[in-house]
Amino acid sequence: MTDAPPLSGDELQRYARHLVLADVGGPGQQRLKRSRMLILGAGGLGSPVALYLAAAGVGTLGIVDDDTVSLSNLQRQILHGTPDIGRPKLDSARDALARLNPHVTVEPHAIRLDGENGAAIIAGYDIVIDGSDNFATRYALADLCEQLEKPLVTAAVQRFSGSLTVLVPFQPNGEGRRHPRYRDLFPEPPAAGLVPTCAEAGILGVVTGILGTLAACEAIKLATGAGEPLIGRLLLVDTLRMRFEEIRYRRPKVKG
């Protein structure tokens, strides 16, 4: 985390409901202000993540996206509006977050992140939130965050459901073993074409809002030290039955 000046009078009023929370308070709000968080994607998941982290007072938000706003995005990508159609998503995201909270610095990264270019970007942040929409990026990001020892909040959605977990495979658990990797949960990406994209299968817009908001909550918990993050736990959300389930997973023991 970077150094940050004390909270201003405007910030004290803006974050008043955080400041009275025993698990956040002034020290936690100051940690949020010092935090540098990277969001992968300014789409369905990235939109609520960015909005709630900006509203919460995260000092610096990096956003990675190389796409432009289209009409079909607006059913779920709430960072953008009808006048933004055709604009780079990074531009409309920056404008929306500036309207919401002028105390937040937005750092745009107009690239498609991969294993080659990602390390230089990720290295400059404290916490990473994955809102990507393809398996290649998810695996590359998880591998890079493990190598660079950056906590990763990763969410995924499909149709009426979604999942969420927190990855810190470079940290030991209470048993002296390291916490699990993304590849301990999902060893290999599915074969090409096996899992349909949102464009092919559809997506209920509010599902991205639910999972994105939960992802933002996990990032805030990591920054402030509040609560118990979803480390070694996969949260499954089924909105058709409105059911939340949890699966615990571990790093396999090394044989021999």
Side-chain angles (χ1 to χ4, degrees), residues 39 41-54 61 63 65 69 73-84 87-100 106 208:
I39 304 168
L45 288 166
S47 287
V49 169
L51 287 166
Y52 270 103
L53 292 182
L61 289 176
I63 304 178
D65 202 297
V69 180
N73 297 152
L74 302 184
Q75 161 253 16
R76 64 201 178 281
Q77 299 184 18
I78 57 174
L79 264 176
H80 320 292
T82 303
D84 296 314
R87 297 182 70 198
K89 289 182 180 179
L90 288 178
D91 289 353
S92 54
R94 179 199 58 218
D95 292 348
L97 298 178
R99 288 193 299 269
L100 178 62
V106 177
T208 63

Coordinates of all heavy atoms in Angstrom, one line a residue, residues 39 41-54 61 63 65 69 73-84 87-100 106 208:
I39 N -8.6 -4.0 -11.3 CA -9.8 -4.7 -11.7 C -9.6 -5.2 -13.2 O -9.3 -4.3 -14.0 CB -11.0 -3.8 -11.6 CG1 -11.2 -3.3 -10.2 CG2 -12.3 -4.5 -12.1 CD1 -12.2 -2.1 -10.1
G41 N -11.2 -6.0 -16.3 CA -12.5 -5.9 -17.0 C -13.4 -4.8 -16.5 O -13.6 -4.6 -15.3
A42 N -14.0 -4.1 -17.4 CA -14.9 -3.0 -17.1 C -16.3 -3.4 -17.6 O -17.1 -2.5 -18.1 CB -14.5 -1.7 -17.6
G43 N -16.6 -4.7 -17.5 CA -17.9 -5.2 -18.0 C -18.9 -5.5 -16.9 O -19.0 -4.7 -16.0
G44 N -19.6 -6.7 -17.1 CA -20.6 -7.0 -16.2 C -20.2 -7.2 -14.7 O -20.8 -6.7 -13.8
L45 N -19.1 -7.9 -14.5 CA -18.5 -8.0 -13.2 C -17.7 -6.8 -12.7 O -17.9 -6.3 -11.6 CB -17.7 -9.3 -13.1 CG -18.4 -10.6 -13.2 CD1 -17.4 -11.8 -13.4 CD2 -19.1 -10.9 -11.9
G46 N -16.9 -6.3 -13.6 CA -16.1 -5.2 -13.3 C -16.8 -3.9 -12.9 O -16.4 -3.1 -12.1
S47 N -18.0 -3.7 -13.5 CA -18.8 -2.5 -13.3 C -19.2 -2.4 -11.8 O -18.9 -1.4 -11.1 CB -20.1 -2.5 -14.1 OG -19.8 -2.2 -15.5
P48 N -19.9 -3.4 -11.2 CA -20.2 -3.2 -9.7 C -19.0 -3.2 -8.9 O -18.9 -2.5 -7.8 CB -21.1 -4.4 -9.4 CG -20.9 -5.4 -10.5 CD -20.5 -4.6 -11.7
V49 N -17.9 -4.0 -9.2 CA -16.7 -4.0 -8.5 C -16.1 -2.6 -8.4 O -15.8 -2.0 -7.3 CB -15.7 -4.9 -9.1 CG1 -14.3 -4.7 -8.4 CG2 -16.1 -6.4 -8.9
A50 N -16.0 -1.9 -9.6 CA -15.4 -0.6 -9.6 C -16.3 0.4 -8.9 O -15.7 1.3 -8.1 CB -15.2 -0.2 -11.1
L51 N -17.6 0.4 -9.1 CA -18.4 1.3 -8.4 C -18.4 1.2 -6.9 O -18.3 2.2 -6.2 CB -19.9 1.2 -9.0 CG -20.1 1.6 -10.4 CD1 -21.4 1.1 -10.9 CD2 -20.1 3.2 -10.5
Y52 N -18.5 0.0 -6.4 CA -18.5 -0.1 -5.0 C -17.1 0.1 -4.3 O -17.0 0.6 -3.2 CB -19.1 -1.5 -4.6 CG -20.6 -1.4 -4.4 CD1 -21.4 -1.9 -5.3 CD2 -21.1 -0.8 -3.2 CE1 -22.8 -1.8 -5.2 CE2 -22.5 -0.7 -3.1 CZ -23.3 -1.2 -4.0 OH -24.7 -1.1 -3.9
L53 N -16.1 -0.2 -5.0 CA -14.7 0.1 -4.5 C -14.5 1.6 -4.5 O -13.9 2.1 -3.6 CB -13.6 -0.7 -5.2 CG -13.7 -2.2 -5.1 CD1 -12.5 -2.8 -5.8 CD2 -13.6 -2.6 -3.6
A54 N -14.9 2.2 -5.5 CA -14.7 3.7 -5.6 C -15.6 4.4 -4.5 O -15.1 5.3 -3.8 CB -15.1 4.2 -7.0
L61 N -7.7 2.8 -8.2 CA -8.2 1.7 -9.0 C -7.6 1.6 -10.4 O -7.8 2.6 -11.2 CB -9.8 1.9 -9.1 CG -10.6 1.7 -7.9 CD1 -12.1 2.0 -8.2 CD2 -10.5 0.3 -7.3
I63 N -7.8 -0.3 -14.0 CA -8.8 -1.0 -14.7 C -8.2 -1.5 -16.0 O -7.6 -0.6 -16.8 CB -10.1 -0.2 -15.0 CG1 -10.7 0.3 -13.7 CG2 -11.1 -1.0 -15.7 CD1 -11.9 1.2 -13.9
D65 N -8.9 -3.0 -19.6 CA -10.0 -3.3 -20.6 C -9.6 -2.7 -22.0 O -9.0 -1.6 -22.0 CB -11.3 -2.7 -20.2 CG -12.5 -3.4 -20.8 OD1 -12.6 -3.4 -22.1 OD2 -13.3 -4.1 -20.1
V69 N -17.9 0.3 -25.7 CA -19.2 0.1 -25.2 C -20.2 -0.2 -26.4 O -20.2 0.6 -27.4 CB -19.7 1.3 -24.4 CG1 -21.2 1.1 -23.9 CG2 -18.8 1.7 -23.3
N73 N -24.2 -4.3 -24.2 CA -23.6 -4.3 -22.8 C -24.4 -3.7 -21.8 O -24.3 -4.1 -20.6 CB -22.3 -3.5 -22.9 CG -21.2 -4.0 -23.8 OD1 -20.4 -3.2 -24.3 ND2 -21.1 -5.3 -24.0
L74 N -25.4 -2.8 -22.1 CA -26.0 -2.0 -21.2 C -27.0 -2.7 -20.3 O -27.5 -2.1 -19.3 CB -26.7 -0.8 -21.9 CG -25.7 0.1 -22.7 CD1 -26.4 1.3 -23.3 CD2 -24.5 0.5 -21.9
Q75 N -27.3 -3.9 -20.6 CA -28.3 -4.7 -19.8 C -27.6 -5.1 -18.5 O -28.3 -5.5 -17.6 CB -28.7 -5.9 -20.6 CG -29.3 -7.1 -19.9 CD -28.3 -8.3 -19.8 OE1 -27.1 -8.1 -20.1 NE2 -28.9 -9.5 -19.5
R76 N -26.3 -5.0 -18.4 CA -25.6 -5.5 -17.2 C -24.4 -4.6 -16.8 O -24.0 -4.6 -15.6 CB -25.2 -6.9 -17.3 CG -24.2 -7.2 -18.4 CD -24.1 -8.6 -18.9 NE -23.1 -8.7 -20.0 CZ -23.4 -8.4 -21.2 NH1 -24.5 -7.8 -21.6 NH2 -22.4 -8.5 -22.2
Q77 N -23.8 -3.9 -17.7 CA -22.6 -3.2 -17.5 C -22.9 -1.8 -17.0 O -22.8 -0.8 -17.8 CB -21.7 -3.3 -18.7 CG -21.3 -4.7 -19.1 CD -20.4 -4.8 -20.3 OE1 -19.7 -3.9 -20.6 NE2 -20.3 -6.0 -20.9
I78 N -23.1 -1.6 -15.8 CA -23.7 -0.4 -15.2 C -22.8 0.8 -15.1 O -23.2 1.8 -14.7 CB -24.5 -0.7 -13.9 CG1 -23.5 -1.3 -12.9 CG2 -25.6 -1.6 -14.1 CD1 -24.1 -1.5 -11.5
L79 N -21.5 0.5 -15.4 CA -20.6 1.7 -15.5 C -20.9 2.6 -16.6 O -20.5 3.7 -16.7 CB -19.1 1.2 -15.6 CG -18.3 1.0 -14.3 CD1 -16.9 0.4 -14.7 CD2 -18.1 2.3 -13.6
H80 N -21.5 2.0 -17.6 CA -21.7 2.7 -18.9 C -23.2 3.1 -19.2 O -24.1 2.4 -18.7 CB -21.2 1.9 -20.0 CG -19.9 1.2 -19.7 ND1 -18.7 1.8 -19.5 CD2 -19.6 -0.2 -19.5 CE1 -17.8 0.9 -19.2 NE2 -18.3 -0.3 -19.2
G81 N -23.4 4.1 -20.0 CA -24.8 4.5 -20.3 C -25.0 4.6 -21.8 O -24.0 4.5 -22.6
T82 N -26.2 4.9 -22.2 CA -26.5 4.9 -23.7 C -25.6 6.0 -24.4 O -25.1 5.7 -25.5 CB -28.0 5.3 -23.9 OG1 -28.8 4.3 -23.2 CG2 -28.3 5.3 -25.3
P83 N -25.3 7.1 -23.8 CA -24.4 8.1 -24.5 C -23.0 7.6 -24.7 O -22.3 8.1 -25.5 CB -24.5 9.3 -23.6 CG -25.7 9.2 -22.8 CD -25.9 7.7 -22.6
D84 N -22.6 6.5 -24.0 CA -21.3 6.0 -24.1 C -21.1 5.0 -25.2 O -19.9 4.5 -25.4 CB -20.9 5.3 -22.8 CG -20.8 6.3 -21.6 OD1 -20.3 7.4 -21.8 OD2 -21.4 6.0 -20.5
R87 N -17.8 4.4 -27.3 CA -16.6 4.9 -26.5 C -15.8 3.8 -25.9 O -16.3 2.7 -25.6 CB -17.0 5.9 -25.4 CG -17.8 7.1 -25.7 CD -18.1 7.9 -24.5 NE -16.9 8.5 -23.9 CZ -16.8 8.9 -22.6 NH1 -17.8 8.8 -21.8 NH2 -15.7 9.4 -22.2
P88 N -14.5 4.0 -25.7 CA -13.7 3.0 -25.0 C -14.3 2.8 -23.6 O -14.7 3.8 -22.9 CB -12.3 3.6 -24.9 CG -12.3 4.5 -26.1 CD -13.6 5.1 -26.3
K89 N -14.4 1.6 -23.1 CA -15.0 1.4 -21.8 C -14.2 2.1 -20.7 O -14.7 2.5 -19.7 CB -15.1 -0.1 -21.5 CG -16.2 -0.8 -22.3 CD -16.3 -2.3 -22.0 CE -17.4 -2.9 -22.8 NZ -17.5 -4.4 -22.5
L90 N -12.9 2.2 -20.9 CA -12.0 2.8 -19.9 C -12.4 4.3 -19.8 O -12.3 4.9 -18.7 CB -10.5 2.7 -20.3 CG -9.9 1.3 -20.1 CD1 -8.5 1.3 -20.6 CD2 -10.0 0.8 -18.7
D91 N -12.8 4.9 -20.9 CA -13.1 6.4 -20.8 C -14.5 6.6 -20.0 O -14.6 7.4 -19.2 CB -13.3 6.9 -22.2 CG -11.9 7.1 -22.9 OD1 -10.9 6.9 -22.2 OD2 -11.9 7.4 -24.1
S92 N -15.5 5.7 -20.4 CA -16.7 5.9 -19.7 C -16.6 5.5 -18.2 O -17.3 6.0 -17.3 CB -17.8 5.1 -20.4 OG -17.5 3.8 -20.6
A93 N -15.8 4.4 -18.0 CA -15.6 4.0 -16.6 C -14.9 5.1 -15.8 O -15.4 5.4 -14.6 CB -14.7 2.8 -16.5
R94 N -13.9 5.7 -16.3 CA -13.2 6.8 -15.6 C -14.2 8.0 -15.3 O -14.2 8.5 -14.2 CB -12.1 7.3 -16.5 CG -11.3 8.5 -15.9 CD -10.5 9.2 -17.0 NE -11.4 9.7 -18.0 CZ -11.1 9.7 -19.3 NH1 -10.0 9.3 -19.8 NH2 -12.0 10.2 -20.2
D95 N -15.0 8.3 -16.3 CA -16.0 9.4 -16.1 C -17.0 9.1 -15.0 O -17.3 9.9 -14.1 CB -16.7 9.8 -17.4 CG -15.8 10.4 -18.4 OD1 -14.6 10.7 -18.0 OD2 -16.2 10.5 -19.6
A96 N -17.5 7.8 -15.0 CA -18.5 7.4 -14.0 C -17.9 7.4 -12.6 O -18.6 7.8 -11.7 CB -19.0 6.0 -14.4
L97 N -16.7 6.9 -12.5 CA -16.1 6.8 -11.2 C -15.7 8.2 -10.6 O -15.8 8.5 -9.4 CB -14.9 5.9 -11.2 CG -15.2 4.5 -11.6 CD1 -13.9 3.7 -11.6 CD2 -16.2 3.8 -10.6
A98 N -15.3 9.1 -11.5 CA -15.1 10.5 -11.1 C -16.3 11.2 -10.6 O -16.3 12.0 -9.6 CB -14.4 11.3 -12.3
R99 N -17.5 10.9 -11.3 CA -18.7 11.5 -10.8 C -19.1 11.0 -9.4 O -19.6 11.7 -8.6 CB -19.8 11.2 -11.8 CG -19.8 12.0 -13.1 CD -21.1 11.9 -13.8 NE -21.4 10.5 -14.2 CZ -21.0 9.9 -15.3 NH1 -20.2 10.6 -16.2 NH2 -21.3 8.6 -15.6
L100 N -18.8 9.7 -9.2 CA -19.1 9.1 -7.9 C -18.2 9.5 -6.8 O -18.7 9.8 -5.7 CB -19.1 7.5 -8.1 CG -19.3 6.7 -6.8 CD1 -20.8 6.9 -6.4 CD2 -19.1 5.2 -7.2
V106 N -8.1 6.8 -10.9 CA -8.3 5.7 -11.8 C -7.1 5.6 -12.8 O -6.8 6.6 -13.4 CB -9.6 5.9 -12.6 CG1 -9.8 4.8 -13.7 CG2 -10.8 6.0 -11.7
T208 N -24.5 -10.6 -12.6 CA -23.2 -10.0 -12.6 C -23.1 -8.9 -11.5 O -22.1 -8.7 -10.9 CB -22.9 -9.3 -13.9 OG1 -23.8 -8.3 -14.2 CG2 -22.9 -10.3 -15.1

